[in-house]
Amino acid sequence: ARIRLHHLGQTPIRRMLDVGTALQDEIDWYVVKPDGQVVQHVLTGDRHPFATRPIHTRVPTFQIDMQPGEVLDLYVRLSSHDGLQEAISLKLWHPNAHVQALETETLAFGLYFGALGTVLLYNLFLFLSTRQHSFGWYSAYVAAFLFWGLIFRGYAFQYWWPDAPNFNNQILPLAAAAAYCLFGVFMVSYLHTGSRAPRLLHRIMVFALIGNVLCVTPSLFNHYALSFALSIPFGVTQILMALVIGALLAWRGYRPARFFVTAFSFLAIGVVLYYLRVLGAVPSNIVTENFLQIGSALEVLLLAFGLADQMNTLRLEKLRAERQALAAQEALNTELESLVKRRTRALEVANQRLAEMAITDELTGAFNRRHFNSAFEADVARHRRNGTPVAFCMLDIDQFKAYNDRYGHVAGDAVLQRV
């Protein structure tokens, strides 16, 4: 790109020009006078150490000083490592306006990353306290998204590894894949898609999730454009499946799905706008450049509310289940008491029956020899102790043997029962 600047004022001026993105691979910057004299030359970009930037800002920025009446030609050559071009929006600033914009930007991103960090710590604490998997996966997802955001916006390269441009480029797709993957796992855990969603939609979701992870492979060998191109269909598929499954479960009345659809819609719009901006389908402006952050912040906060609502619902269900269990336990105890009483009475009757059978003749129902011995010994002992009289009587059936031999034992038994 060639830009001609002509200063028509009466005093020297200074202007700042930034390229609008922190991810441009190569930026070859020249400031040339009309006679061909090169006033300034800078070679920088995120493929070069951060120290090559003339101004210590996350977005490459260049300073232009001009004298009254001076004409300068600015030449900016932008190149990509492997064909993956960023959406460029060159901006020329007055120094004061540039400083004010940097301060506003720092405040806005500070609030954004601070909100993500707060939500991360809060849900991590809830996970450690409750051990619920949804809180754990959500914490991991927010951590990955926060890490990706710091890299994507250039802060990680500026403050964490300014002398490692190759690592900075390789870690970005890995962080993006981690965010995609952990989001998918969180969704499966939060919405229980394996049991609640149609099996086909659940499988497509899992397939897109795995595909996003595998798309990182080319970037490990410095082929970022291929990795990005492959990730688009899987990313779009994962977004569509998340919205479809969430909407379907919300339509069925599943409360967590309502929070999920509302929250994820904001992030989905931001991701789609980013893809369209990189592909050149929509212009680069303040909305398309920043809606990804706005949407993701809203998504993170709304999902945090959704998790809190789910925890409250689980608590109420637990209390309801405990009350039902207590009522069932009381009913069971009452029934058990009644059963024990019935069994005790039956046992007493059975014991009484066994005691009677032990001292009773089975055929006649008269007391048997065992009872006679016991009663006889007691009466004799009472007689000896108190001197009371004792009467003892024996009965015999005359000619019973002859009758029994002639008519049989059955007839003899009948006689004994009759007597």
Side-chain angles (χ1 to χ4, degrees), residues 151-400:
I151 302 171
F152 181 74
R153 286 298 175 179
Y155 290 106
F157 187 38
Q158 181 178 3
Y159 295 108
W160 292 351
W161 45 74
D163 298 322
N166 290 333
F167 175 77
N168 183 68
N169 280 273
Q170 287 182 329
I171 197 65
L172 178 61
L174 290 174
Y180 264 116
C181 178
L182 291 171
F183 170 78
V185 176
F186 161 72
M187 175 191 169
V188 170
S189 174
Y190 177 61
L191 297 182
H192 303 284
T193 60
S195 58
R196 292 182 175 272
R199 183 175 299 179
L200 177 61
L201 298 182
H202 172 74
R203 289 181 175 177
I204 294 175
M205 177 72 183
V206 174
F207 171 76
L209 186 155
I210 296 173
N212 264 310
V213 175
L214 295 178
C215 287
V216 178
T217 305
S219 66
L220 300 178
F221 301 94
N222 285 330
H223 297 293
Y224 301 95
L226 177 60
S227 181
F228 183 81
L230 292 175
S231 69
I232 290 179
F234 289 107
V236 172
T237 300
Q238 187 171 342
I239 291 172
L240 290 176
M241 285 301 100
L243 289 173
V244 170
I245 292 174
L248 179 62
L249 295 182
W251 180 72
R252 292 178 178 176
Y254 188 43
R255 186 178 177 87
R258 296 173 181 173
F259 282 94
F260 177 83
V261 171
T262 304
F264 186 64
S265 297
F266 291 104
L267 179 62
I269 294 172
V271 172
V272 171
L273 283 177
Y274 170 72
Y275 281 148
L276 294 176
R277 184 169 66 91
V278 173
L279 295 174
V282 297
S284 179
N285 52 48
I286 189 172
V287 176
T288 59
E289 289 178 11
N290 296 292
F291 198 86
L292 181 59
Q293 275 64 44
I294 298 172
S296 61
L298 293 173
E299 183 238 8
V300 166
L301 293 175
L302 288 174
L303 283 179
F305 284 122
L307 283 170
D309 179 78
Q310 186 184 55
M311 184 172 65
N312 187 54
T313 301
L314 290 174
R315 183 179 62 83
L316 294 177
E317 290 178 352
K318 181 181 178 181
L319 291 176
R320 190 181 303 113
E322 288 177 349
R323 294 193 193 100
Q324 293 175 351
L326 181 60
Q329 183 66 35
E330 291 177 351
L332 181 61
N333 289 339
T334 303
E335 183 180 355
L336 186 59
E337 280 185 23
S338 176
L339 180 61
V340 169
K341 290 180 180 178
R342 292 198 301 270
R343 291 292 177 85
T344 301
R345 286 196 297 269
L347 185 60
E348 291 174 351
V349 172
N351 287 336
Q352 183 178 358
R353 177 61 180 161
L354 288 174
E356 292 176 355
M357 291 175 62
I359 62 174
T360 305
D361 178 66
E362 183 180 0
L363 178 63
T364 63
F367 291 121
N368 59 16
R369 177 67 176 270
R370 181 182 292 107
H371 181 70
F372 167 77
N373 289 340
S374 176
F376 182 73
E377 290 175 359
D379 285 340
V380 170
R382 189 182 303 108
H383 164 71
R384 290 174 179 170
R385 183 173 61 253
N386 301 328
T388 56
V390 174
F392 177 71
C393 215
M394 289 188 69
L395 299 174
D396 190 23
I397 303 176
D398 292 340
Q399 299 179 1
F400 177 73

